[in-house]
Amino acid sequence: MNISAEIRNTWTKEEIEEIYHSPLLDLIYKAATVHREYHNPSEVQISTLLSIKTGGCPEDCSYCGQAARYHTDIKVQALLPTETVISHAKKAKENGSSRFCMAAAWREVRNNRDFDRVIDMVKGVNELGLEVCCTLGMLTEEQAVRLQEAGLYAYNHNLDTSEQYYEEIISTRNFDNRINTINNVRKAGITVCSGGIIGLGETHQDRISMLLTLATMPKHPESVPINALARVKGTPLENNPKVDAWEMVRMIATARIIMPASVVRLSAGRIEMTETEQAWCFMAGANSIFAGERETLLVTPNPGISEDMQMLNTLGLQPMTKESKTSCATN
Ligand code: SAM
Ligand code: DTB
Ligand code: SF4
């Protein structure tokens, strides 16, 4: 395997295929090497995730417990009051987070009072000195500019799966809609957080194709979340098999090698992984996790903050700070 750790967006499907399918330990070793060239391997970014508006979503994403059309146990919750969100952000900061991500179960942002309130939340969280991130569904360029002006640092908008498999998973929007929003975010000067989910029933080719789309963007996403499907009762994918931890490791390692300067986030599915399995993900180049103070990752469970801190301690890892991140990586 020929690994060059330069940042480039000229990757071919064949090159990514070769990396993805290489012998596992060889792959991990290469990814760990690239990781050390671009990042401080003892630091992990802790990003606290808060669902600011939960459930009742009009989209039909077949993995998602928040889609109104599926009968899940998730309770609909209207947009949280700004003060509630700010107090969650303060606590997140005290607990070692350097990034705070607000998620809304919206198809798209509308220019209404709720958006005005989100703008206020972005301003408030930014004033606390945290990197502010939002994930609110589709955005126009004007809406992205408003968020940027309010102090938004990053916008999360996942490709979720490959372009070819997309319509098997979601019918209420298409892959191009996703790309459009990502472009609007870029144009507004906000950093991009984009990755996907494995365990949706996709093939290895689909995973490679999704990684190819990310790695051939004019600029790589600054963050790449890799999620394992959280199987939510009542959704069409509730009976999918559990994702094997090695599949996560393979995905993370490949993402690390082809997007060397990006922060790769071990996202959904951590609750179903042992500490040892998570350690392999860090070895393979993951350097970010989602944490949630109510022991939830949006609406499905996540390990608790203190368990996470204990794990980092055991592994000799420290929370990344805003300052250490900028002095180390290129983003
Ligand atoms: N509604 C917005 C959207 O879909 O873009 C923002 C919130 S949505 C929950 C953000 C991302 O979470 C999705 O794009 C998907 O990648 C991930 N996600 C949602 N449900 C998931 C699940 N059950 N398992 C793994 N990842 C999931
Ligand atoms: C991402 O890539 N993962 C996060 C997020 N972006 C906002 C969401 C994971 C959701 C897991 C299932 C749930 O609890 O809803
Ligand atoms: Fe709605 Fe986002 Fe869930 Fe899709 S993933 S149903 S858009 S909340």
Side-chain angles (χ1 to χ4, degrees), residues 8-215:
R8 61 184 178 97
N9 59 3
T10 54
W11 292 99
T12 63
K13 183 167 85 54
E14 290 69 29
E15 285 175 314
I16 301 180
E17 239 163 27
E18 193 190 341
I19 297 169
Y20 180 94
H21 287 298
S22 57
L24 191 61
L25 293 184
D26 203 23
L27 174 62
I28 295 170
Y29 180 77
K30 297 272 169 49
T33 308
V34 173
H35 188 187
R36 277 153 179 75
E37 264 178 56
Y38 282 85
H39 305 267
N40 176 347
S42 56
E43 289 195 338
V44 173
Q45 177 193 58
I46 303 182
S47 181
T48 293
L49 182 58
L50 178 69
S51 184
I52 57 170
K53 186 267 169 180
T54 309
C57 183
E59 299 283 67
D60 71 351
C61 312
S62 50
Y63 48 79
C64 186
Q66 303 199 64
R69 66 192 71 203
Y70 309 136
H71 299 283
T72 67
D73 297 336
I74 292 160
K75 285 203 198 76
V76 176
Q77 160 80 64
L79 189 64
L80 293 175
T82 307
E83 311 77 68
T84 311
V85 174
I86 301 299
S87 76
H88 279 282
K90 280 188 185 144
K91 238 182 261 164
K93 192 178 178 190
E94 283 162 21
N95 284 329
S97 278
S98 56
R99 178 177 287 205
F100 189 70
C101 181
M102 298 179 272
W106 286 337
R107 168 184 162 76
E108 74 238 311
V109 168
R110 303 231 169 115
N111 295 317
N112 57 17
R113 296 276 303 278
D114 276 358
F115 186 40
D116 297 341
R117 285 170 57 196
V118 171
I119 292 289
D120 285 341
M121 294 173 195
V122 170
K123 286 183 184 153
V125 176
N126 190 37
E127 278 164 15
L128 297 176
L130 287 159
E131 282 181 5
V132 199
C133 174
C134 277
T135 181
L136 314 167
M138 293 185 262
L139 281 186
T140 64
E141 198 180 336
E142 294 69 40
Q143 291 164 339
V145 169
R146 254 191 96 188
L147 285 164
Q148 193 277 335
E149 287 170 354
L152 190 76
Y153 181 82
Y155 195 79
N156 167 248
H157 203 64
N158 291 338
L159 296 182
D160 293 325
T161 191
S162 70
E163 181 168 13
Q164 301 76 15
Y165 196 57
Y166 202 81
E167 61 182 32
E168 303 289 325
I169 297 299
I170 301 147
S171 77
T172 50
R173 56 166 195 258
N174 60 36
F175 196 76
D176 281 348
N177 295 146
R178 280 323 251 187
I179 300 285
N180 253 332
T181 294
I182 294 171
N183 290 341
N184 291 340
V185 169
R186 266 279 171 247
K187 278 185 255 168
I190 300 168
T191 66
V192 171
C193 171
S194 188
I197 314 175
I198 64 169
L200 303 174
E202 74 287 343
T203 60
H204 292 295
Q205 271 321 108
D206 287 312
R207 293 177 189 175
I208 290 162
S209 165
M210 184 181 83
L211 289 170
L212 177 68
T213 305
L214 294 169

Side-chain angles (χ1 to χ4, degrees), residues 189-257:
I190 300 168
T191 66
V192 171
C193 171
S194 188
I197 314 175
I198 64 169
L200 303 174
E202 74 287 343
T203 60
H204 292 295
Q205 271 321 108
D206 287 312
R207 293 177 189 175
I208 290 162
S209 165
M210 184 181 83
L211 289 170
L212 177 68
T213 305
L214 294 169
T216 54
M217 286 180 174
K219 194 165 189 257
H220 293 164
E222 283 79 1
S223 308
V224 180
I226 305 291
N227 295 275
L229 173 70
R231 296 165 298 168
V232 182
K233 208 166 147 263
T235 61
L237 303 184
E238 67 172 315
N239 295 320
N240 275 22
K242 174 179 180 297
V243 171
D244 187 87
W246 296 121
E247 303 274 308
M248 282 296 272
V249 170
R250 196 175 278 286
M251 214 41 206
I252 288 168
T254 309
R256 167 52 66 229
I257 293 169

